Amino acid sequence: KLGDLGHAILHYERALRLDPRDTDTRANLDLARTLIADDITPLPGFWLLRFIAWWTQLLPRGALLPLVAVAYLGMMSAIVIRVLNRRRPGVERWGGRIAVGLAAVSFILAINLLVVELGAGRSTQAIILADEVSVQSAPSEDTSLQLFSIHEGTKVRVDQRSGDWAEVVLADGKVGWVKAEVFEVF
């Protein structure tokens, strides 16, 4: 409403990082994205990376913590049952199988929780806040090095920095350098 599209998209993206399932925020972000001047068609991602991203976002942190704890406690209980019932082969066998199954579940959920907590594999994302930005082929003010322009609200991935400059990658694979002051990381 205030006409500050870049900051609106930035804050919607930050809100989605906190609560990825918030449908109102997602709807508002989608609406704000329709106002962006740049029409960027994202490249399709590698299926394995898409699956990993889907898996890590499947359960929120608040659900992962108790699930890891319950799976771990169940595994430990199954180990205790197996150890205490050595004279009863059926109970010992089933206790071992349950312990192995719950160990696998605990491991998978713990790795998922670790990825969510540490943000492993998450790239640095930013939103362009300036009205129009010239993207250069190298970190320089030389206008002959201009590749293309991007506009306020465009989402970029920040790959590396060199002084006041940052190399950015667009969703369609275009790469170039912009001044670090024209975007804000979320």
Side-chain angles (χ1 to χ4, degrees):
K1 289 182 179 180
L2 297 175
D4 192 358
L5 183 61
H7 280 99
I9 291 175
L10 174 70
H11 293 301
Y12 286 136
E13 290 283 3
R14 286 178 175 163
L16 279 179
R17 280 251 169 106
L18 296 173
D19 186 5
R21 298 178 191 274
D22 187 351
T23 56
D24 291 336
T25 302
R26 186 161 307 280
N28 287 332
L29 177 59
D30 290 341
L31 176 64
R33 283 182 180 156
T34 63
L35 303 174
I36 297 173
D38 299 320
D39 186 23
I40 298 171
T41 305
L43 294 173
F46 182 55
W47 69 270
L48 183 60
L49 296 177
R50 284 194 324 258
F51 174 76
I52 290 170
W54 170 81
W55 178 258
T56 57
Q57 295 172 1
L58 186 62
L59 295 171
R61 179 184 180 274
L64 276 172
L65 284 170
L67 283 174
V68 169
V70 166
Y72 180 77
L73 290 174
M75 175 192 69
M76 295 309 289
S77 299
I79 290 171
V80 168
I81 288 171
R82 182 169 196 257
V83 169
L84 294 178
N85 289 294
R86 290 210 182 263
R87 293 192 179 118
R88 298 168 59 190
V91 174
E92 180 186 10
R93 186 176 335 112
W94 278 103
R97 290 178 182 166
I98 291 171
V100 168
L102 287 174
V105 169
S106 295
F107 179 75
I108 290 169
L109 291 175
I111 293 296
N112 192 356
L113 181 62
L114 190 64
V115 167
V116 168
E117 285 295 311
L118 297 178
R122 185 184 305 161
S123 59
T124 303
Q125 302 284 324
I127 301 295
I128 300 295
L129 299 178
D131 289 337
E132 184 174 2
V133 176
S134 169
V135 181
Q136 307 288 97
S137 61
S140 169
E141 295 282 351
D142 186 1
T143 57
S144 66
L145 297 176
Q146 181 177 353
L147 297 172
F148 54 92
S149 294
I150 52 178
H151 299 85
E152 180 181 23
T154 303
K155 183 177 180 180
V156 296
R157 184 183 81 217
V158 180
D159 272 0
Q160 60 179 318
R161 292 181 185 244
S162 176
D164 294 339
W165 292 83
E167 184 183 44
V168 296
V169 180
L170 277 62
D172 61 2
K174 291 180 183 173
V175 180
W177 291 83
V178 298
K179 288 282 226 174
E181 65 197 24
V182 301
F183 64 81
E184 191 168 330
V185 174
F186 63 91

